[in-house]
Amino acid sequence: MPTSRHHPGGSAGRAPAPVALVALALLVAGPARAADEIVLGASVPITGVFAFAGVGIHAGIGDYVGLVNQDGGIDGRPVRYVAEDTAYKVDASVAAFNRITSQYEVQLYYGDSTAFSKTMAPELARRGTILMGGDSFASELNDPERFPYHFLSGPDYTEMFGILLRYIADQSPGAKVAFVHSDTEFGRDPIARGTEIAEELGLSVPITIVTAPGSVDVTTEVLRLRRVRPDYTIFHGYVLAPIPEFITQARQMRLRTEFMGTFWSMDNAIVQTMGDAADGFLGVMPYRYYYDESADAPMLAKIREIRPEYQSTAYMQGFVTAMLMIEATRRALATGEPLTGASLKAGLNSIRDFDTGGLIGVPISITGNSVPVGRIYRADAQAGRMVPASDWIVLE
Amino acid sequence: MRIGHAKESYAADEALLDSPFQWTMLALMIAGLAALPLFGDPYWVYLVCLIAIHVIGATGLNILTGFTGLVSLGHAAFLGVGAYTVAVLEARIGTPFPVNLLAGGLAAAAVGLVVGLPSLRVKGLYLAIATIAASVILHFVFLHWASLTGGPAGLSLPPATLFGVALDTPFALYWLILPVAGVMVLGAANLFRTRVGRAFIAIRDRDISAELIGIPLLKTKLMSFGISSFYAGVAGGLWAYFFRVVTPESFPLIMSIFFLAAIIVGGLGSILGGVLGAVFMTLVPEALKLGVGLLSGVLPDAVAILAPVRTVVFGALIIGFLIFEPLGLAEIWRRFRRLQHLWPFRT
């Protein structure tokens, strides 16, 4: 038998003993931990289709936790951030949750994807010890009765539509608005309720176009849009494609409509990759951009100090989520009650006129599961930046 | 060295386990698996449940692709049919879970029979494309038959209950999932000791010759599709009870590729191969994560730096297996056993 055939099995036998011993020792010893630490676990998509956001989210959470620990933790209790990559797969996210919660006593958890949040809802209710935030802004999660231990660190998708539509109603009352969305749970989320809100605001929605996510050939859809000639067109459920193609073709057909997007298509680096098509692209954003030098945003200055290079809106999302989780913990500890999912959520819901260090431009209050605040930004192709197009809009 | 092992009857020759040592090892494995949830932490219990679900799915695909030679990339969609059937029955009608699981398997089998129809005319890559088309159609149905499937938001289902006890944690579900997986793997192993199973293999080796020796091609190929989809349906049903949320995005095409990779890495046309492949494909990414976790003590922010490396290592491992052992993990195991039987002599 040729000796090469023994490779797969044989190589393990030749593994250097010291390496194996160190690995074993580390395994047996487990992670070193302080008795009173607060643990923030996270399932983050550092690889996979959502990696463009996951890397930023991970950095954002890590940086905020680092800042808190530099300042002595939460009332002297250190915060430990334990993250694991999920590749944006629900089974891997649940595995990460199980692994982290079996190794640490976790109070706070960052979950990726709507499906993961929905999957974990019964488990969180059963445990009753964890408060969960995450990267999903699904309207379904904005229901304190069904999801008592969840929160969204911004407006849900329906509220984002509400902010966009309110801006449109202010700018051009009675305008015609087209919705273009992907054929996914994410894409369909705000459409039905968004249409009702538009009508309540005196706007009309003459056309709703559905495309495959990431589709490229959108000629027929643009022709349909041209027939209706809407004043505004809102994209939802995409990160990039087919937005640039849509805008380019619509401009070639001399269609005069203002294009708009929601959170995940609003990162400055992503918008600028659209090139010329980006100019004038509008959208809703709950957080300030990295380069915003407003005097009332000291936290952004601090972030620029830690990371001199541009940080995405996903970074801001992770940063703000960690900030709200830690504020909730601080408030829960202040009541003297033991830390449970319920006391943490009560702490979160006691937040009134809270200053995020300027990351969100107005003081925020959290009465339910979301933070219904946002601002309209416009892409300025010459400056290569998103610039504010409205004041901060707070939904009641 | 293995000695004194003469077989005196055909039954002994065909036995799945042929020595007291094998029986002892099996008993030890069962005892180990039974003890795991009592002593292991919830993470391992969860992983073993997930592996067991993958084992059922991979065994199903192995029956179709490994033993009958019909390539399918629609396996995830069949899991979806099983999962949706279970979710609808559990959430809307409230029938007991054994009925739901069986119905999930049968519904998937029925759909599999329809999808399998083109297999008489096309095979190889053509059949793979036909099954992808079927999975796209099924995905469309999951998404747009909203009154039944809940549309894009999908369905949430209550936990399975057994004698009034809710099976709502991996610990409780472990006692359901593992026995079902055991029975299904045993069923598959036995299938290939019957005329039907041998007919599958004959079709794989040369379908024209198989027809010449009297095997009805369409019926047998459809039977293979039906049995394979039944396995997928049961795996999907267990998946639904395990995660308790079923959405159209739960069963993407990449999941079909996962199962195909599992049986190729494990060993096409080998029951043990399907099992080993499912274990490998589920455990290795987790083991690599554990490695990254261990390094985080030494290397700050190892998770962010090494996560992409981990994906590359996983891919490289699969390629390595295909190059160094195209017959899969099952062959490595067989070679290990041969070595064991001949020890201390080597050939």
Side-chain angles (χ1 to χ4, degrees), chain A residues 237-260:
Chain A
Y238 308 105
V239 176
L240 189 59
I243 300 177
E245 191 58 26
F246 226 101
I247 299 179
T248 310
Q249 289 197 21
R251 296 237 163 103
Q252 282 165 357
M253 290 182 197
R254 298 178 191 285
L255 174 65
R256 299 183 66 161
T257 181
E258 299 259 25
F259 289 103
M260 298 180 131

Short mmCIF file of all heavy atoms in Angstrom, two decimals, chain A residues 237-260:
data_model
loop_
_atom_site.label_atom_id
_atom_site.label_comp_id
_atom_site.label_asym_id
_atom_site.label_seq_id
_atom_site.Cartn_x
_atom_site.Cartn_y
_atom_site.Cartn_z
N GLY A 237 -34.92 46.37 1.93
CA GLY A 237 -34.61 44.94 1.86
C GLY A 237 -33.40 44.66 1.00
O GLY A 237 -33.20 43.52 0.57
N TYR A 238 -32.60 45.67 0.73
CA TYR A 238 -31.37 45.48 -0.04
C TYR A 238 -30.22 46.07 0.75
O TYR A 238 -30.41 46.91 1.62
CB TYR A 238 -31.43 46.24 -1.37
CG TYR A 238 -32.65 45.98 -2.19
CD1 TYR A 238 -33.67 46.93 -2.27
CD2 TYR A 238 -32.79 44.79 -2.90
CE1 TYR A 238 -34.79 46.70 -3.03
CE2 TYR A 238 -33.91 44.56 -3.67
CZ TYR A 238 -34.92 45.52 -3.74
OH TYR A 238 -36.02 45.29 -4.49
N VAL A 239 -29.00 45.64 0.39
CA VAL A 239 -27.83 46.35 0.90
C VAL A 239 -27.29 47.23 -0.22
O VAL A 239 -27.15 48.43 -0.07
CB VAL A 239 -26.75 45.36 1.39
CG1 VAL A 239 -25.51 46.12 1.82
CG2 VAL A 239 -27.31 44.56 2.54
N LEU A 240 -27.10 46.65 -1.40
CA LEU A 240 -26.65 47.48 -2.52
C LEU A 240 -27.44 47.11 -3.78
O LEU A 240 -28.36 47.84 -4.15
CB LEU A 240 -25.14 47.30 -2.73
CG LEU A 240 -24.49 48.27 -3.72
CD1 LEU A 240 -24.69 49.71 -3.30
CD2 LEU A 240 -23.01 47.98 -3.85
N ALA A 241 -27.09 46.01 -4.46
CA ALA A 241 -27.81 45.63 -5.67
C ALA A 241 -29.26 45.36 -5.33
O ALA A 241 -29.53 44.79 -4.27
CB ALA A 241 -27.19 44.38 -6.28
N PRO A 242 -30.21 45.77 -6.14
CA PRO A 242 -30.08 46.40 -7.45
C PRO A 242 -30.21 47.93 -7.39
O PRO A 242 -30.53 48.53 -8.42
CB PRO A 242 -31.26 45.81 -8.19
CG PRO A 242 -32.33 45.72 -7.13
CD PRO A 242 -31.60 45.46 -5.83
N ILE A 243 -29.98 48.55 -6.25
CA ILE A 243 -30.26 49.99 -6.13
C ILE A 243 -29.47 50.81 -7.18
O ILE A 243 -30.08 51.62 -7.89
CB ILE A 243 -29.98 50.50 -4.69
CG1 ILE A 243 -30.88 49.75 -3.69
CG2 ILE A 243 -30.20 52.00 -4.58
CD1 ILE A 243 -30.66 50.11 -2.24
N PRO A 244 -28.14 50.62 -7.33
CA PRO A 244 -27.43 51.46 -8.30
C PRO A 244 -27.95 51.29 -9.73
O PRO A 244 -28.12 52.28 -10.46
CB PRO A 244 -25.98 50.96 -8.22
CG PRO A 244 -25.88 50.20 -6.96
CD PRO A 244 -27.23 49.67 -6.67
N GLU A 245 -28.23 50.04 -10.11
CA GLU A 245 -28.72 49.76 -11.47
C GLU A 245 -30.07 50.45 -11.68
O GLU A 245 -30.34 51.06 -12.71
CB GLU A 245 -28.85 48.24 -11.62
CG GLU A 245 -29.10 47.75 -13.01
CD GLU A 245 -28.03 48.16 -14.00
OE1 GLU A 245 -26.89 48.39 -13.58
OE2 GLU A 245 -28.37 48.28 -15.19
N PHE A 246 -30.91 50.36 -10.67
CA PHE A 246 -32.24 50.97 -10.72
C PHE A 246 -32.12 52.48 -10.94
O PHE A 246 -32.77 53.06 -11.81
CB PHE A 246 -32.91 50.72 -9.36
CG PHE A 246 -34.31 50.24 -9.48
CD1 PHE A 246 -34.61 48.90 -9.33
CD2 PHE A 246 -35.35 51.13 -9.74
CE1 PHE A 246 -35.92 48.45 -9.43
CE2 PHE A 246 -36.65 50.69 -9.83
CZ PHE A 246 -36.94 49.34 -9.68
N ILE A 247 -31.26 53.11 -10.12
CA ILE A 247 -31.14 54.57 -10.19
C ILE A 247 -30.54 54.98 -11.53
O ILE A 247 -31.03 55.91 -12.19
CB ILE A 247 -30.26 55.09 -9.02
CG1 ILE A 247 -30.92 54.74 -7.68
CG2 ILE A 247 -30.04 56.58 -9.13
CD1 ILE A 247 -30.15 55.17 -6.46
N THR A 248 -29.49 54.26 -11.96
CA THR A 248 -28.84 54.62 -13.22
C THR A 248 -29.83 54.53 -14.38
O THR A 248 -29.95 55.46 -15.19
CB THR A 248 -27.65 53.66 -13.48
OG1 THR A 248 -26.86 53.62 -12.30
CG2 THR A 248 -26.81 54.11 -14.65
N GLN A 249 -30.55 53.41 -14.44
CA GLN A 249 -31.51 53.24 -15.55
C GLN A 249 -32.61 54.29 -15.49
O GLN A 249 -33.04 54.82 -16.51
CB GLN A 249 -32.11 51.84 -15.52
CG GLN A 249 -31.11 50.78 -15.92
CD GLN A 249 -31.80 49.47 -16.28
OE1 GLN A 249 -32.97 49.43 -16.60
NE2 GLN A 249 -31.04 48.39 -16.22
N ALA A 250 -33.09 54.58 -14.27
CA ALA A 250 -34.17 55.56 -14.13
C ALA A 250 -33.69 56.94 -14.58
O ALA A 250 -34.42 57.67 -15.26
CB ALA A 250 -34.62 55.62 -12.67
N ARG A 251 -32.44 57.27 -14.27
CA ARG A 251 -31.91 58.58 -14.69
C ARG A 251 -31.76 58.62 -16.21
O ARG A 251 -32.03 59.65 -16.83
CB ARG A 251 -30.55 58.83 -14.01
CG ARG A 251 -30.68 58.92 -12.50
CD ARG A 251 -30.14 60.23 -11.94
NE ARG A 251 -30.65 60.44 -10.59
CZ ARG A 251 -29.95 60.25 -9.48
NH1 ARG A 251 -28.70 59.85 -9.56
NH2 ARG A 251 -30.49 60.47 -8.31
N GLN A 252 -31.32 57.47 -16.78
CA GLN A 252 -31.20 57.43 -18.25
C GLN A 252 -32.55 57.64 -18.93
O GLN A 252 -32.64 58.20 -20.00
CB GLN A 252 -30.60 56.09 -18.70
CG GLN A 252 -29.10 56.02 -18.49
CD GLN A 252 -28.58 54.58 -18.59
OE1 GLN A 252 -29.34 53.64 -18.77
NE2 GLN A 252 -27.27 54.44 -18.47
N MET A 253 -33.59 57.19 -18.27
CA MET A 253 -34.94 57.35 -18.84
C MET A 253 -35.54 58.69 -18.45
O MET A 253 -36.74 58.91 -18.63
CB MET A 253 -35.84 56.23 -18.34
CG MET A 253 -35.50 54.88 -18.91
SD MET A 253 -36.68 53.68 -18.28
CE MET A 253 -35.83 52.16 -18.63
N ARG A 254 -34.74 59.54 -17.85
CA ARG A 254 -35.16 60.89 -17.42
C ARG A 254 -36.35 60.84 -16.47
O ARG A 254 -37.27 61.65 -16.54
CB ARG A 254 -35.50 61.77 -18.63
CG ARG A 254 -34.30 61.98 -19.53
CD ARG A 254 -34.67 62.81 -20.73
NE ARG A 254 -33.60 62.79 -21.71
CZ ARG A 254 -32.46 63.47 -21.58
NH1 ARG A 254 -32.27 64.25 -20.56
NH2 ARG A 254 -31.52 63.39 -22.51
N LEU A 255 -36.33 59.83 -15.61
CA LEU A 255 -37.38 59.74 -14.60
C LEU A 255 -36.98 60.63 -13.43
O LEU A 255 -35.90 60.45 -12.86
CB LEU A 255 -37.53 58.29 -14.15
CG LEU A 255 -38.49 58.02 -13.00
CD1 LEU A 255 -39.92 58.35 -13.41
CD2 LEU A 255 -38.42 56.56 -12.56
N ARG A 256 -37.83 61.59 -13.09
CA ARG A 256 -37.47 62.50 -11.99
C ARG A 256 -38.15 62.03 -10.72
O ARG A 256 -39.32 62.28 -10.51
CB ARG A 256 -37.89 63.92 -12.36
CG ARG A 256 -37.17 64.40 -13.60
CD ARG A 256 -37.53 65.80 -13.92
NE ARG A 256 -37.04 66.70 -12.87
CZ ARG A 256 -36.90 68.00 -13.06
NH1 ARG A 256 -37.18 68.54 -14.21
NH2 ARG A 256 -36.47 68.76 -12.08
N THR A 257 -37.41 61.30 -9.95
CA THR A 257 -37.92 60.81 -8.68
C THR A 257 -36.77 60.82 -7.67
O THR A 257 -35.61 60.69 -8.06
CB THR A 257 -38.51 59.37 -8.83
OG1 THR A 257 -39.01 58.94 -7.58
CG2 THR A 257 -37.47 58.37 -9.31
N GLU A 258 -37.10 61.05 -6.42
CA GLU A 258 -36.05 61.04 -5.38
C GLU A 258 -35.96 59.62 -4.84
O GLU A 258 -36.96 59.06 -4.40
CB GLU A 258 -36.45 61.98 -4.24
CG GLU A 258 -36.63 63.41 -4.68
CD GLU A 258 -35.44 64.27 -4.32
OE1 GLU A 258 -34.33 63.71 -4.18
OE2 GLU A 258 -35.61 65.48 -4.19
N PHE A 259 -34.75 59.05 -4.85
CA PHE A 259 -34.58 57.68 -4.35
C PHE A 259 -34.19 57.70 -2.88
O PHE A 259 -33.41 58.54 -2.44
CB PHE A 259 -33.51 56.95 -5.17
CG PHE A 259 -33.97 56.63 -6.56
CD1 PHE A 259 -33.55 57.38 -7.65
CD2 PHE A 259 -34.84 55.58 -6.78
CE1 PHE A 259 -33.98 57.09 -8.92
CE2 PHE A 259 -35.28 55.27 -8.06
CZ PHE A 259 -34.85 56.04 -9.14
N MET A 260 -34.77 56.75 -2.15
CA MET A 260 -34.52 56.70 -0.70
C MET A 260 -34.21 55.26 -0.25
O MET A 260 -34.61 54.32 -0.92
CB MET A 260 -35.79 57.14 0.05
CG MET A 260 -36.21 58.57 -0.22
SD MET A 260 -37.69 58.93 0.71
CE MET A 260 -37.21 60.48 1.46
#
